[in-house]
Amino acid sequence: MKKVVIIGNGIAGITAARHIRKHSDYAITVISAETEFFWSRTALMYIYMGHMKFEHTKPYEDHFWKENNIDLFFGRVNNISSGQNMVICTDGTKFTFDYLILATGSKPNKFGWEGQDLNGVSGMVSYQDLEMIEAHTHQIERGVIVGGGLIGIELAEMLRSRNIDVTFLVREKDFWTNVLPSEDAAMISAHIREHHVDLRLETELDKILPDDNGNVRAVQTIDGEIIPCQFVGLTAGVHPNIDLAADSGIETDRGFLADEYLRTSVPNIFAVGDCAQLRNPPPGRQPIEPLWYTGRMMGEVAAKNITGTPVAYTPGPWFNSAKFFDIEYQTYGQVPHDCPDNQHDFYWQHQSGRKAVHIRFGKEDLTLKGVNSFGIRMRHELFDTWLRKGIQIQEFMDKLEDVNFDPEFFEDHSGEIRELFSQKFPQIRIKAGRKRNKILGLF
Ligand SMILES: Cc1cc2nc3c(=O)[nH]c(=O)nc-3n(C[C@H](O)[C@H](O)[C@H](O)COP(=O)(O)OP(=O)(O)OC[C@H]3O[C@@H](n4cnc5c(N)ncnc54)[C@H](O)[C@@H]3O)c2cc1C
């Protein structure tokens, strides 16, 4: 019987294990140094805020693994010998394999700041980070968060939920402007401030200052300002965890390099999830995409390739979602900060400053390129189909109601959005729109 070893029990490794079991009777061992059982990292903030207990974030009951003949080993691998098809753990335990799947996830970025390893400084990725944040934010007055991305804003919400003052250092002109167009970023920056976060834009960390006991006392910005605090969250992005690459013979760049079948440079070793870097990413996709659903898709693809159904990784159009305090955000296709010269840019914002839609479409072919939506839920499956087929902007605007996924009692803004669109682009003829049958979701 073939043996598969998987390093990492996150969404990518666990999905691979489940699908290998579905398609084969191979022996499967999943190794993780973080937690004994798979848990949902995306729910980390809800544990801290008291909305969920850790137990509730485990997608499977503890008995699931035994019942499905998947062995779990709680320990750290510290060496991969690809020549001997063996992994060796820090406690000396060895596992041999026919196939190895690397699903080692991400690590928080640290840029060599003075004081980055003091007590009370933490990233926010692992369960251990959650424990650290919990231990160092008990009844404190102020936390400083360094780095304005999706994890930073979650940490800000977590600390505010306990009435801790938050100073949020963001290098860019507005929150997340390296990703969001200016209007979107300005709206979210204003919303962050509404939640009483001291948002410092165009402000960078210089160093973290200690007290006499090696605890955080303050941060110093590059402008020389000293901000007293008792906790510092480092949330300036993540990078693939490739610690195990050394002496393994597996080719790496920023991540473990993988082809379209998610195979690394060693043919019986695969890389999935946050730790993988695609050599040739599909159009519109990045080589490294540290996202839950990409990890899940990759795990399934690797499992199929290992169990004998060769299949390439084809994730389809880009999609992502997040929450900025009270504003839900979804993005479909490509809406980069700067609008490409050959595209039109259309932005609608509701007077509340909590809802917006940002649309990009081609100037020549009028095909939809991407949509950001804030505070309005949209249907992922429809975008997936429409972006794949290259829907034209007229058809998209006509079908705005179809894509709206808000509950029945929510206000529908399709009419207003179309009206503004017609004012801005009078040369593009769109229909006045239809009324949505909210009960059946039909028109
Ligand atoms: C706070 C937070 C919120 C997020 N929210 C979202 C969201 O809303 N939507 C979204 O799409 N994505 C979100 N993400 C990203 C998403 O959670 C990750 O992309 C995804 O969990 C990565 O899964 P993975 O299986 O690749 O790796 P991970 O889940 O990181 O698992 C890797 C595992 O490998 C273990 N490991 C590593 N090295 C070794 C070793 N040598 N020996 C043993 N074990 C090892 C690690 O300890 C870890 O348990 C969020 C991430 C964070 C941190």
Side-chain angles (χ1 to χ4, degrees):
M1 192 204 301
K2 293 225 159 65
K3 284 193 264 185
V4 184
V5 169
I6 300 170
I7 309 176
N9 70 348
I11 182 66
I14 285 302
T15 306
R18 284 178 40 244
H19 283 269
I20 292 169
R21 175 52 64 248
K22 208 165 150 184
H23 299 297
S24 77
D25 63 354
Y26 294 176
I28 304 168
T29 304
V30 183
I31 306 173
S32 177
E34 185 184 10
T35 50
E36 209 178 334
F37 298 102
F38 170 46
W39 70 294
S40 177
R41 194 173 304 292
T42 53
L44 186 151
M45 69 183 296
Y46 301 107
I47 304 174
Y48 181 91
M49 296 197 300
H51 302 182
M52 291 173 104
K53 289 203 157 69
F54 173 71
E55 288 306 303
H56 303 145
T57 68
K58 290 194 274 184
Y60 301 92
E61 302 280 354
D62 293 354
H63 53 79
F64 173 88
W65 310 102
K66 201 163 186 177
E67 278 167 20
N68 286 280
N69 204 11
I70 295 171
D71 290 337
L72 304 180
F73 183 80
F74 187 35
R76 179 169 297 280
V77 176
N78 75 344
N79 183 258
I80 299 170
S81 168
S82 50
Q84 297 179 75
N85 285 337
M86 186 190 287
V87 299
I88 304 156
C89 297
T90 40
D91 69 354
T93 310
K94 294 176 181 162
F95 295 92
T96 56
F97 58 82
D98 295 290
Y99 296 102
L100 176 65
I101 300 181
L102 303 166
T104 51
S106 289
K107 292 170 75 168
N109 288 335
K110 290 183 174 184
F111 295 103
W113 291 295
E114 194 178 315
Q116 67 182 19
D117 297 316
L118 288 170
N119 288 328
V121 182
S122 179
M124 192 171 100
V125 171
S126 65
Y127 183 72
Q128 286 70 27
D129 291 338
L130 172 63
E131 288 183 318
M132 180 101 93
I133 296 168
E134 186 64 62
H136 286 98
T137 57
H138 186 60
Q139 294 187 338
I140 63 168
E141 276 177 25
R142 179 171 298 274
V144 172
I145 300 172
V146 181
L150 298 181
I151 297 180
I153 196 166
E154 286 192 1
L155 183 52
E157 184 173 351
M158 286 158 57
L159 300 184
R160 290 301 302 131
S161 76
R162 295 194 187 180
N163 282 324
I164 297 167
D165 289 340
V166 173
T167 298
F168 196 4
L169 307 187
V170 172
R171 199 176 47 178
E172 290 77 26
K173 241 177 118 180
D174 263 313
F175 172 77
W176 219 31
T177 37
N178 46 336
V179 175
L180 297 177
S182 301
E183 297 91 333
D184 311 21
M187 184 180 80
I188 299 301
S189 298
H191 185 62
I192 292 171
R193 289 195 165 115
E194 270 177 41
H195 282 269
H196 310 288
V197 172
D198 171 27
L199 177 63
R200 304 288 186 94
L201 299 171
E202 296 182 283
T203 307
E204 282 184 59
L205 176 70
D206 180 16
K207 55 186 161 187
I208 307 169
L209 306 173
D211 67 10
D212 293 340
N213 302 312
N215 298 313
V216 171
R217 156 173 82 79
V219 300
Q220 183 169 326
T221 68
I222 51 170
D223 301 328
E225 186 185 0
I226 291 178
I227 305 170
C229 61
Q230 299 77 40
F231 169 77
V232 177
L234 299 180
T235 57
V238 295
H239 62 273
N241 176 1
I242 53 168
D243 290 355
L244 287 173
D247 306 324
S248 68
I250 304 164
E251 244 180 80
T252 59
D253 177 29
R254 284 181 294 144
F256 290 112
L257 286 167
D259 66 13
E260 68 267 42
Y261 299 99
L262 305 179
R263 210 181 280 273
T264 67
S265 56
V266 180
N268 63 336
I269 302 183
F270 291 73
V272 294
D274 284 16
C275 69
Q277 177 179 347
L278 296 176
R279 289 178 193 273
N280 298 304
R285 308 294 302 219
Q286 297 300 315
I288 301 170
E289 289 181 346
L291 290 176
W292 184 264
Y293 82 100
T294 55
R296 194 174 53 207
M297 283 195 282
M298 284 184 167
E300 189 172 344
V301 166
K304 286 190 176 150
N305 287 316
I306 285 172
T307 53
T309 322
V311 51
Y313 174 65
T314 48
W318 169 250
F319 159 70
N320 195 8
S321 67
K323 197 170 75 66
F324 305 122
F325 283 92
D326 307 325
I327 300 180
E328 286 182 24
Y329 155 73
Q330 293 169 306
T331 185
Y332 304 94
Q334 301 299 321
V335 190
H337 175 78
D338 292 315
C339 183
D341 289 342
N342 60 356
Q343 289 181 20
H344 280 304
D345 182 83
F346 172 72
Y347 180 73
W348 167 87
Q349 186 178 311
H350 188 253
Q351 58 197 21
S352 65
R354 289 179 172 215
K355 293 181 184 183
V357 175
H358 209 136
I359 300 174
R360 297 270 170 80
F361 59 99
K363 282 183 179 166
E364 290 288 319
D365 61 7
L366 299 184
T367 52
L368 184 72
K369 304 298 178 196
V371 175
N372 281 350
S373 115
F374 299 87
I376 299 176
R377 282 191 205 160
M378 297 199 172
R379 290 179 196 274
H380 179 202
E381 351 46 273
L382 276 185
F383 272 107
D384 200 61
T385 312
W386 289 348
L387 287 166
R388 277 177 206 262
K389 82 163 194 187
I391 191 173
Q392 295 231 307
I393 189 67
Q394 302 94 313
E395 188 184 349
F396 175 72
M397 295 307 287
D398 290 346
K399 291 183 169 167
L400 265 185
E401 284 90 348
D402 298 28
V403 87
N404 188 319
F405 192 41
D406 275 335
E408 195 186 331
F409 50 85
F410 276 46
E411 203 181 339
D412 181 12
H413 301 287
S414 307
E416 282 170 60
I417 297 171
R418 260 196 299 268
E419 214 172 294
L420 185 65
F421 185 89
S422 293
Q423 282 169 23
K424 194 164 174 204
F425 301 103
Q427 74 281 17
I428 301 174
R429 294 186 69 83
I430 56 170
K431 292 181 194 149
R434 297 151 291 155
K435 269 221 174 303
R436 184 164 60 147
N437 180 333
K438 300 250 186 179
I439 297 167
L440 297 173
L442 299 171
F443 296 85

